Amino acid sequence: MSRLELGGISLGAGVWCLALLAMAWMSPAASAAVPASPSKCYAAALSATATNATVEIYWNDNSTNETQWKIQYSTNNWATSSSVLVNSGASSTSTGAISYPWPLAALNTSYRFRVVAVNASGSSGVSNVATVGTFNFGAPLKFSATAVDPFNVIMSWEEVSTAESGFALEYKIGNGVWEYFGSTGANAIIVDPINLIHPLESYAFRVRAFKGGAPATPDSPADANVSAYSNVVTLTTAAYPLSAAMVPCQTAVNLSWPNILNESGYQILYKEASETEYQDYGLLSANVSDCKVTLPADAATKSYSFIVRPYVVVSGNDANLMGESAVASATVDVPAEMTSTSGSSGTPGSPFSHSFIHVSAATISSRTLTGIPTGLVFNSTSGVLSGVYPTVG
């Protein structure tokens, strides 16, 4: 039986095998973590020659220990084994967006791509599947439109064209007619949030590719310069909420609402409940989502209604309203005298805090409290008496 001498210690063959297995298990290379799976994979057909198209594959690198990327593709929806497009180098020191151009895609072919991160320990899971077509001029596929807030919508689609000049976007409200509202450049597959919708409206959207100038007249037939339409997406946007809360002991109301995208500012309107016309309270800057509305001195015990209108500046001093919020109401209820609770009690030497309210119909100018025992302090701004509870008497 063979034996191994290690530092004067004799080991049998069986023990030797166990020792070698333990050493292999402790190998740094073997114990390294498998890379995290890439995500957000998508692809776009960028250009075409007489024989091939260039496809750019994009994905998000979520690991810092990969040594290689494997980009897999299929032309038959993974019905057979996938082909490896490339084993590319990796950016193993950082995470972020990665892209790879492939100039040898066949024309008039629908491709599916997915990405795997690899290192010495193995392969990550596969990313999501990205689909792209290298057809010369086809209608966009899988068009989607999503409201990101009550006034903005974001759109995306899959490109099925390699020769377009851009994409024309259209919408209609309810049972109305289709309207052209803008276009993108070539190879666009997503549109940043666009302001064109109002709350609680039913909208339909669609897109088509074009060559040359954008077709500004909806429903023109497909031809050599205009593709067929994508699928139609409909959505109904939510109401634009507004809340109003009385400010205790003041002739004021706090308003709050969700901030929206693409606005230049907000207009605040208010009216007393018995009135019919709203009054302009003033304008706020962009990216504001709350406001304290100070009402007239005689507002006590009256009810008020409020509306917030986001607007966008189009040129110079010209602005367009983007819509308006729901109506919010609040009643201003202001006491006319100092109030407190008699007989406050506690243990001498323990913490003490008591709130006084001193209000009249006019704006408060100051508060004063006299005869304060040692150890207590009165805050004339907040009306709070606090400190250490005094001895009896």
Side-chain angles (χ1 to χ4, degrees), residues 183-245:
S183 64
T184 72
N187 305 314
I189 57 174
I190 190 168
V191 177
D192 290 334
I194 295 175
N195 168 243
L196 78 160
I197 55 181
H198 297 280
L200 300 177
E201 292 281 11
S202 177
Y203 279 81
F205 302 93
R206 65 188 183 185
V207 63
R208 57 178 171 170
F210 65 87
K211 297 178 182 178
T217 302
D219 295 320
S220 56
D223 57 28
N225 294 313
V226 180
S227 79
Y229 282 106
S230 69
N231 55 296
V232 174
V233 174
T234 59
L235 59 87
T236 299
T237 56
Y240 186 39
L242 174 68
S243 65

Side-chain angles (χ1 to χ4, degrees), residues 240-244 253-258 263 265-271 277-295 304-311 321 323-328:
Y240 186 39
L242 174 68
S243 65
V253 173
N254 284 331
L255 303 179
S256 62
W257 59 90
E263 96 288 11
Y266 297 88
Q267 180 189 29
I268 309 298
L269 302 176
Y270 78 102
K271 74 177 183 69
E277 298 293 329
Y278 279 89
Q279 301 180 53
D280 183 10
Y281 182 78
L283 301 179
L284 302 178
S285 59
N287 302 316
V288 174
S289 58
D290 59 75
C291 174
K292 179 180 178 180
V293 177
T294 301
L295 298 163
Y304 286 83
S305 297
F306 304 88
I307 291 175
V308 172
R309 290 177 170 176
Y311 67 89
L321 291 175
E324 64 183 31
S325 71
V327 176

Side-chain angles (χ1 to χ4, degrees), residues 133-180:
T134 59
F135 302 95
N136 180 55
F137 202 57
L141 297 176
K142 298 182 181 179
F143 176 66
S144 68
T146 305
V148 294
D149 63 43
F151 300 100
N152 288 275
V153 65
I154 189 169
M155 304 177 193
S156 65
W157 57 89
E158 289 185 1
E159 183 181 20
V160 190
S161 174
T162 59
E164 84 283 349
S165 300
F167 296 90
L169 302 165
E170 297 177 4
Y171 78 99
K172 69 175 180 178
I173 302 175
N175 294 322
V177 298
W178 286 100
E179 297 183 42
Y180 167 81

